[in-house]
Amino acid sequence: MLNLPNSVKIYLATEPTDMRKGPDGLSALVRHKNLDPFSGDLYAFISKRNDRLKILTWSVGGYVLFYKRLEKGRFKRPVVKPGQDTVML
């Protein structure tokens, strides 16, 4: 379980993400959305099949990448407005 301070924001990409991307590829996606991958906020990405999740954050000295693969079931995406490319949770 993660214990996060209230100041940490969590962003979710609304489009499916290629799960072959590592920390550098995911941070490029974050920068492309005019967000700062070094802020300490959490950036979540879900696979096309909705069964895999990666969360990227920056900690002292480097990126931290969390990865979750569901054996059963799927992650449920929130409803987003047309053209919306990120959701702040």
Side-chain angles (χ1 to χ4, degrees), residues 60-73:
V60 178
Y63 285 115
V64 178
L65 186 62
F66 298 96
Y67 179 74
K68 175 78 174 189
R69 184 184 74 195
L70 298 177
E71 295 298 321
K72 295 180 182 177

Side-chain angles (χ1 to χ4, degrees), residues 24-54:
D24 295 324
L26 295 174
S27 68
L29 293 176
V30 171
R31 285 192 306 274
H32 182 70
K33 302 300 179 189
N34 295 320
L35 297 170
D36 181 13
F38 304 110
S39 66
D41 293 332
L42 300 178
Y43 301 95
F45 305 90
I46 299 176
S47 68
K48 185 176 182 178
R49 294 187 309 185
N50 294 331
D51 65 342
R52 293 160 195 209
L53 169 80
K54 283 189 177 181

